[in-house]
Amino acid sequence: QVQLVESGGGLVKPGGSLRLSCAASGFTFSDYYMSWIRQAPGKGLEWVSYISSSSSYTNYADSVKGRFTISRDNAKNSLFLQMNSLRAEDTAVYYCAREGGDGYNLYYFDYWGQGTLVTVSS
Amino acid sequence: SSELTQDPAVSVALGQTVRITCQGDSLRSYYTSWYQQKPGQAPVLVIYGKNIRPSGIPDRFSGSSSGNTASLTITGAQAEDEADYYCNSRDNPWVFGGGTKLTVL
């Protein structure tokens, strides 16, 4: 069965860095776009970044552009999010999610990990 | 990027039907997907495309769309359906609605 397991969250001071990982199993990881989505405490879902199946394309929310970098290692079935210059407003549970769709007008996130909590505080 | 607008909260009596709506310009171009999130858990996809339910999602969940509005309908709501529901669309490049908290009375 499809599994996504995030790790790497924790407490970090403002201005600090953190690298999140997502280990994928149960499907051909290299066939799928992947995204990071976050949820601040008591708030809604916010898409953060995506990466194409071969790493050719990446995109970021304006709120993290220039500070976060998404990457993947298809040989190790792993997704990453390097987070630099962290701010208090980056405090959230970070989920990795698999993207599905037809590449035209049908898109969705069909599998999500359980999330990893990032807390930015002094 | 565009926005998706949802009512913050909706309630329904046990066994009755409830509709949760989502409005946004991107819905004219892309299908909406819907997610259920219970406290302390990750979101779960419940509807995508033209009313497609992933395996394991009860058939009391259905989706529809017209113009810039998409709807998630729960026919015969159960206590276990009490959760937050989010709509989502592909638009520059992704956008989520603010979420609707469903209370089953």
Side-chain angles (χ1 to χ4, degrees), chain A residues 33 35 37 39 43-47 50 59-60 95 99-100 104-110 112-114, chain B residues 29-33 35 37 40-45 48-50 52 86 88 90 93-94 96-98:
Chain A
Y33 278 49
S35 272
I37 297 159
Q39 186 170 36
K43 302 296 184 182
L45 300 171
E46 179 189 17
W47 171 82
Y50 81 67
N59 207 335
Y60 301 89
Y95 298 100
E99 296 187 21
Y104 175 54
N105 63 352
L106 173 63
Y107 298 88
Y108 48 88
F109 297 109
D110 55 357
W112 300 60
Q114 282 304 302
Chain B
S29 303
Y30 298 97
Y31 286 108
T32 312
S33 49
Y35 305 85
Q37 187 180 35
Q41 297 183 19
V44 172
L45 178 67
Y48 66 100
K50 200 169 185 179
I52 303 170
Y86 294 91
N88 168 238
R90 192 73 157 87
W94 284 101
F96 284 94

Side-chain angles (χ1 to χ4, degrees), chain B residues 17-76:
Chain B
T17 297
V18 62
R19 177 173 293 182
I20 297 169
T21 60
C22 174
Q23 285 189 304
D25 286 342
S26 65
L27 304 187
R28 298 182 187 277
S29 303
Y30 298 97
Y31 286 108
T32 312
S33 49
W34 290 93
Y35 305 85
Q36 176 193 68
Q37 187 180 35
K38 297 181 179 179
Q41 297 183 19
V44 172
L45 178 67
V46 295
I47 290 287
Y48 66 100
K50 200 169 185 179
N51 192 23
I52 303 170
R53 282 177 289 106
S55 175
I57 301 302
D59 60 6
R60 62 179 179 271
F61 289 88
S62 63
S64 62
S65 182
S66 177
N68 73 335
T69 301
S71 300
L72 172 70
T73 300
I74 306 174
T75 303

Side-chain angles (χ1 to χ4, degrees), chain A:
Chain A
Q1 73 282 20
V2 173
Q3 273 199 310
L4 299 170
V5 180
E6 302 93 338
S7 60
L11 176 63
V12 60
K13 289 182 169 53
S17 298
L18 214 54
R19 189 190 195 215
L20 306 183
S21 300
C22 171
S25 60
F27 66 102
T28 305
F29 181 69
S30 58
D31 284 349
Y32 290 87
Y33 278 49
M34 298 293 296
S35 272
W36 287 98
I37 297 159
R38 69 184 181 183
Q39 186 170 36
K43 302 296 184 182
L45 300 171
E46 179 189 17
W47 171 82
V48 172
S49 179
Y50 81 67
I51 187 167
S52 63
S53 52
S54 61
S55 303
S56 298
Y57 304 105
T58 60
N59 207 335
Y60 301 89
D62 288 343
S63 57
V64 307
K65 203 169 290 184
R67 301 187 297 122
F68 289 12
T69 303
I70 192 171
S71 62
R72 66 191 295 164
D73 184 339
N74 285 344
K76 296 183 178 180
N77 293 335
S78 295
L79 175 71
F80 305 102
L81 186 68
Q82 177 67 44
M83 304 186 295
N84 298 331
S85 303
L86 283 162
R87 306 166 180 167
E89 54 264 36
D90 296 318
T91 294
V93 174
Y94 285 73
Y95 298 100
C96 65
R98 189 179 86 168
E99 296 187 21
D102 63 2
Y104 175 54
N105 63 352
L106 173 63
Y107 298 88
Y108 48 88
F109 297 109
D110 55 357
Y111 289 95
W112 300 60
Q114 282 304 302
T116 187
L117 176 62
V118 172
T119 303
V120 184
S121 175
S122 55

Side-chain angles (χ1 to χ4, degrees), chain B residues 4-5 7 15 19 29 35 37 39 43 47 49 51 60 80-81 87 91 101-103 105:
Chain B
L4 296 179
T5 301
D7 290 330
R19 177 173 293 182
S29 303
Y35 305 85
Q37 187 180 35
I47 290 287
N51 192 23
R60 62 179 179 271
E80 60 264 33
D81 299 334
C87 61
D91 181 49
K101 182 176 183 60
L102 176 66
T103 300
L105 304 172

